[in-house]
């Protein structure tokens, strides 16, 4: 298995449900159709099962391939292929009717209803008729072709169900039966994917419960069957629907809520904030304009100037030529990323003009119409994450988390610790808290906010401001014992910080450490080196009275067994050699034998520490990989820096992964692991009830 999430769709026909499922995936398609002109796919695209194979099947049928041929090549059951063939035939009919109707006319209501019953979205109809999704929607509403809602009876008709859930379809009878009670709609996070996972579902569930506790009816809209938010008893009313403007507006028009919460579900509902607001929907919490002000780089620059805060030198680009000019002006290395994405998708660190050109082209192709952001990358800096809540007037910091790895590794992939434990200059934490408050007050934050800072050479930089829920909210809530998402929902409903009982930063209970979990074993040949694009698919948490024991618990929870004895292999770049020395000395004092590449071994030997030289992979045999295969190495410390080193030594890291050898790619992680190994040598790990820690 290689997927990290899934969607579910309900309909009255196979085609309707399948079309809704396709548009729930958020892949940039409207559902059945895709931008551009379909062409006959290569045989390999049909034969080899890949994520896009269903669309290759549809394109083959559109290009004239028979069901028999597609069945022979793919092995997909003919029943499904016949249904796909019916959808393709309906597409042809819609195009033909559009041509026959002439300019200014739309397809007749009879055909329009058939298309909607086959799962065609407004975006699909726009592409098929040569109009926009908005024009298709307007024509559909004018023709009174609107969805109704059917119920899924959670009691199977044995007795009256108090918790049914609903889905849209194009039938004659509507079973929604909305109440007159004041209600609030919560938009869920959609499918789990790297950068947007269960942390946002956690926030949505807490928001729904807070709404119910406030005496309102909570209405959840989501399409992910794996989540707690789609349990039928989490909210008062559940709509199992794609998170698109079309589908969400159908729910809103039926339920007529007081307002909608978009800040708890990640990027998916945030993308709907402006369209919903323009349609007259009240967005509760931080305004869409404030969210855009933090995301739009030009406006973000104005925000920093207003608050007197610094950011790394930056620029924006809307094409490759502009990006090359601006990038050269900023100087290398550069951090390049598209705007309005989660998880650092398509984000890269580039070290020269050739790499910059390629990354710009990739980002502009992946996210057409969106500007690409270029930031001067701060090498050898370290980062801190701050979560806060606001009521529109005041801001309270909820927690400050230090990333154990240096800047350049996505915060979702980094070990994080609360409270911050080292390398933070005196006075910096106070400056960070004051900066967070200034930013939150300037944006008028209502609900949750996350700010990412970097410190380099004792200077504070603001990297990002996100006036919404972040992936660290559950971790901070568990580290402090304060239900942040639930409190934020109450603030969005109009309560003040004083009324919810959070007027100062809550204390951290002991030391809490977040450790990421990666799917590298599922993908053969993938390098395990981390960077600015998020790659983890989960995380664990360890807590104890000391940093070392908390880190030991966190690594154990992530499936990493730090050795108590054996051999450590060290290969670090020149800038890390001085910092490696005390770590290597401590490991040696604990009884570990030190292996190292020639340059690192010579440095350690010159400092009076015995290190056995080991050949690199390209220097001959037996090399470091051979020694890992032979079971001679129990821990790897390998720190790359710069263009060349990021692409070297892949074999070392891959072999370590295959053999369950812990591989540390930063010295901060190595130092943390050392503390854990030292703590382990002190005796058995003690446990205590969480309730005891919270008193």
């Amino acid at each position: 298995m290689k997927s990290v999430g899934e969607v579910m769709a309900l309909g009255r026909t196979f085609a309707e449900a399948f079309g809704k499922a396709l548009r729930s995936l958020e892949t940039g398609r409207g559902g059945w159709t895709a931008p551009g002109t379909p062409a006959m796919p290569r045989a390999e695209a049909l034969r080899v099962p890949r994520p896009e194979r269903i669309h290759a099947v549809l394109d083959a049928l559109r290009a004239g391939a028979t069901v028999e041929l597609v069945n022979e090549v793919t092995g997909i059951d003919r029943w499904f292929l016949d249904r796909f063939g019916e959808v393709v035939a309906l597409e042809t009919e819609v195009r033909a009717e559009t041509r026959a109707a002439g300019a200014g006319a739309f397809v007749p209501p009879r055909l329009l209803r058939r298309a909607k019953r086959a799962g065609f979205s407004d975006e699909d109809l726009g592409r098929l008729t040569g109009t926009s999704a908005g024009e298709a929607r307007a024509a559909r509403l004018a023709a009174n072709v609107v969805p109704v809602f059917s119920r899924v009876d959670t009691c199977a008709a044995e007795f009256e169900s108090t918790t049914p859930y609903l889905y849209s379809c194009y039938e004659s009878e509507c079973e929604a039966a909305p109440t007159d009670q004041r209600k609030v709609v919560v938009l869920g996070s959609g499918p789990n994917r790297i950068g947007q996972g269960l942390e946002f579902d956690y926030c949505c569930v807490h928001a729904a419960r807070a709404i119910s506790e406030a005496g309102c009816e909570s209405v959840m809209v989501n399409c992910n069957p794996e989540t707690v938010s789609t349990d039928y008893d989490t909210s008062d009313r559940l709509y199992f629907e794609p998170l698109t403007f079309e589908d969400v507006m159908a729910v809103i028009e039926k339920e007529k809520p007081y307002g909608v919460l978009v800040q708890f579900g990640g990027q998916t509902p945030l993308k709907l904030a402006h369209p919903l607001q323009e349609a007259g929907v009240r967005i509760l919490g931080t305004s869409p304009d404030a969210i855009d002000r933090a995301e739009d780089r030009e406006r973000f620059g104005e925000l920093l100037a207003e608050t007197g805060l610094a950011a790394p030198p930056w620029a924006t680009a809307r094409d490759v030529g502009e990006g090359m000019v601006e990038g050269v002006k900023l100087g290398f290395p550069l951090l390049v990323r598209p705007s309005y994405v989660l998880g650092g998708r398509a984000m890269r660190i580039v070290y020269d003009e050739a790499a910059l050109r390629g990354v710009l082209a990739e980002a502009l192709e992946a996210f057409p119409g969106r500007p690409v952001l270029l930031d001067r990358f701060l090498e050898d800096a370290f980062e801190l994450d701050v979560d806060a809540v606001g009521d529109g007037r005041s801001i309270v910091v909820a927690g400050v988390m230090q990333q154990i790895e240096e800047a350049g590794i996505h915060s979702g992939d980094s070990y994080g610790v609360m409270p911050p434990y080292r390398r933070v200059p005196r006075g910096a934490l106070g400056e960070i808290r004051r900066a967070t408050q200034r930013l939150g007050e300037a944006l008028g934050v209502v609900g949750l906010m996350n700010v990412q800072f970097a410190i380099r050479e004792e200077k504070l930089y603001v990297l990002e401001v996100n006036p919404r829920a972040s992936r660290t909210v559950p971790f901070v809530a568990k580290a402090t014992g304060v239900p942040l998402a639930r409190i934020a929902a109450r603030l969005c409903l109009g309560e003040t910080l004083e009324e919810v009982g959070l007027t100062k930063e809550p204390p951290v209970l002991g030391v809490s450490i977040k450790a990421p979990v990666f799917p590298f074993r599922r993908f053969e040949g993938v390098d395990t080196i981390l960077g600015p694009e998020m790659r983890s698919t989960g995380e664990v948490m360890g807590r104890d009275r000391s940093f070392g024991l908390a880190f030991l618990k966190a690594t154990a929870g992530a499936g990493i067994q730090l050795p108590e004895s054996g051999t450590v292999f060290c290969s670090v770049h020149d800038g890390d050699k001085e910092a490696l020395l005390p770590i290597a000395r401590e490991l040696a004092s604990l009884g570990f034998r030190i292996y190292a590449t020639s340059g690192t071994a010579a440095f350690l030997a010159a400092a009076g520490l015995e290190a056995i030289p080991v050949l690199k992979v390209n220097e001959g045999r037996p090399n470091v990989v051979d020694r890992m295969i032979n079971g001679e190495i129990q821990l790897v410390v390998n720190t790359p820096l710069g263009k060349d080193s990021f692409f070297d030594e892949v074999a070392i890291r891959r072999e370590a992964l295959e053999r369950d050898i812990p591989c540390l790619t930063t010295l901060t992680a190595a130092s943390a692991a050392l503390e854990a190994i030292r703590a382990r040598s002190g005796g058995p790990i003690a446990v205590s009830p969480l309730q005891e820690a919270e008193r």
Side-chain angles (χ1 to χ4, degrees), residues 381-384 402-417 421 423 514-516 518 530 551 663-670 672:
F382 62 97
E383 296 185 23
L384 297 102
Q402 182 182 352
Q403 308 297 347
I404 292 177
E405 279 87 0
E406 291 94 341
I409 294 175
H410 194 280
S411 61
D413 288 352
S414 176
Y415 286 83
V417 56
Y421 79 116
R423 290 188 65 196
K514 171 186 76 80
F518 298 95
L530 303 177
F551 192 87
C663 182
L664 308 171
T665 55
T666 66
L667 285 191
T668 46

Side-chain angles (χ1 to χ4, degrees), residues 533-570:
E533 184 169 17
M534 186 172 166
R535 304 175 81 182
S536 61
T537 53
E539 61 189 38
V540 298
M541 176 176 173
R543 181 157 72 184
D544 209 287
R545 290 183 176 86
S546 71
F547 176 89
L549 287 172
F551 192 87
L552 185 63
K553 288 179 178 180
T555 53
I560 300 170
Q561 296 300 320
L562 294 173
E564 297 181 54
S565 61
T567 301
V568 180
F569 169 74
C570 301

Side-chain angles (χ1 to χ4, degrees), residues 143-324:
N144 198 32
V145 178
V146 294
V148 296
F149 293 92
S150 290
R151 292 187 173 219
V152 176
D153 185 353
T154 53
C155 296
E158 291 187 32
F159 46 86
E160 185 177 358
S161 171
T162 58
T163 55
Y165 53 98
L166 301 113
Y167 63 94
S168 65
C169 55
Y170 282 80
E171 297 290 334
S172 57
E173 181 183 359
C174 185
E175 301 173 350
T179 69
D180 293 330
Q181 187 177 351
R182 191 188 200 199
K183 60 195 71 172
V184 174
V185 171
V186 180
L187 299 187
S189 58
N192 287 0
R193 72 217 87 156
I194 292 177
Q196 183 164 301
L198 288 175
E199 60 273 15
F200 294 108
D201 185 66
Y202 166 99
C203 293
C204 289
V205 169
H206 277 265
R209 290 174 178 167
I211 291 165
S212 298
E213 290 166 1
C216 298
E217 196 171 77
S218 60
V219 181
M220 182 69 65
V221 184
N222 204 359
C223 58
N224 187 336
E226 301 172 310
T227 56
V228 179
S229 65
T230 50
D231 286 354
Y232 57 80
D233 55 355
T234 291
S235 53
D236 297 307
R237 295 173 70 79
L238 167 64
Y239 284 82
F240 230 112
E241 291 292 289
L243 287 156
T244 68
F245 175 75
E246 171 186 349
D247 297 285
V248 169
M249 274 305 298
V251 173
I252 290 171
E253 287 164 350
K254 175 58 65 177
E255 289 287 344
K256 297 179 173 55
Y258 165 73
V260 176
L261 286 174
V262 301
Q263 68 172 256
F264 293 90
Q267 197 67 39
T268 294
L270 284 180
K271 288 186 294 189
L272 299 177
H274 274 294
L276 290 174
Q277 188 178 54
E278 289 169 1
V281 177
R282 180 188 286 111
I283 303 299
L284 301 178
T286 305
S287 70
D289 181 69
I291 294 170
D292 182 72
R293 192 180 178 198
E295 188 69 42
D296 182 278
R297 185 44 62 108
E298 300 288 344
R299 301 187 70 194
F300 179 64
E302 295 170 2
L303 172 67
L304 293 182
E306 177 186 326
T307 53
L309 298 169
W314 58 273
T316 60
R318 293 189 175 273
D319 57 56
V320 173
E322 184 183 10
M324 293 300 297

Side-chain angles (χ1 to χ4, degrees), residues 568-572 580 584 587 594-597 600 604 635 637-638:
V568 180
F569 169 74
C570 301
S571 175
V572 302
L580 172 67
L587 287 168
I594 308 295
Y595 283 177
T597 50
T600 303
L604 294 175
L635 180 65
V637 179
N638 173 222

Side-chain angles (χ1 to χ4, degrees), residues 331-387:
F332 296 96
L334 286 171
L335 186 66
V336 185
R337 60 192 169 111
S339 57
Y340 295 94
V341 296
L342 273 181
R345 188 176 168 197
M347 188 186 293
R348 300 286 187 275
I349 297 171
V350 297
Y351 293 88
D352 54 38
E353 292 185 37
L356 175 60
R357 187 178 298 277
V359 170
L360 284 168
E362 177 189 346
L364 290 163
E365 182 180 356
F367 301 94
R370 297 184 191 174
V372 175
L373 312 179
L374 298 91
D375 295 87
R376 182 68 187 270
F377 175 56
L378 303 176
E379 284 192 300
D380 199 33
F382 62 97
E383 296 185 23
L384 297 102
D385 258 60
V386 180
D387 279 308

